[in-house]
Amino acid sequence: MPNDVLVLAYAGCSTCKKAQKWLEEQGVAYQVRPIVETPPTVAELGQWIPRSGVSVRKWLNTSGQSYRALGKAKVDAASDAELVSWLAADGKLIKRPVLVTGSTVLVGFQPDAYARVFASRR
């Protein structure tokens, strides 16, 4: 299987570790991109958000310090374009991990969703 699976992850994130463990147990080769040091660009987000099938607001890590620092009221008042620029500037603001493979983009780790994506690749 070609190594066309990209996982944007944070080393200190337990959910990211669970996703990587799942991929390893399934024999899925993947590349890791540190989401804090190298967050997605505005251009990448412009492609990935529509491919994820969820709104930009679902990309927010609402339990993180970056979100709390902005405040719910400011986030609620922000336009989608503002949110995208914030996500591109601060990888900790993004719900993680983000998995990108082919035309599929998954935000967060749900084993069932991962299983559906990789079931056809066996």
Side-chain angles (χ1 to χ4, degrees):
M1 178 185 310
N3 193 0
D4 64 347
V5 178
L6 175 65
V7 177
L8 284 81
Y10 175 55
C13 170
S14 61
T15 306
C16 295
K17 291 175 186 173
K18 288 177 191 173
Q20 290 173 289
K21 182 179 180 194
W22 187 95
L23 291 167
E24 289 162 9
E25 288 173 348
Q26 305 306 312
V28 176
Y30 64 93
Q31 295 177 338
V32 175
R33 179 164 134 192
I35 198 167
V36 174
E37 293 83 354
T38 315
T41 64
V42 169
E44 286 172 329
L45 290 167
Q47 294 176 6
W48 293 349
I49 291 170
R51 286 172 36 197
S52 73
V54 298
S55 74
V56 65
R57 293 181 186 279
K58 296 285 185 182
W59 279 67
L60 294 168
N61 174 14
T62 57
S63 62
Q65 290 179 345
S66 293
Y67 179 87
R68 287 194 297 272
L70 285 171
K72 184 177 181 330
K74 185 173 181 179
V75 172
D76 287 348
S79 68
D80 286 358
E82 284 177 300
L83 293 174
V84 168
S85 69
W86 295 345
L87 292 169
D90 184 356
K92 285 192 174 182
L93 190 56
I94 300 171
K95 183 175 185 174
R96 31 185 206 266
V98 175
L99 181 137
V100 181
T101 183
S103 62
T104 301
V105 177
L106 300 177
V107 182
F109 175 57
Q110 296 173 337
D112 292 347
Y114 274 49
R116 282 191 299 275
V117 168
F118 295 105
S120 62
R121 298 175 66 142
R122 292 179 179 263

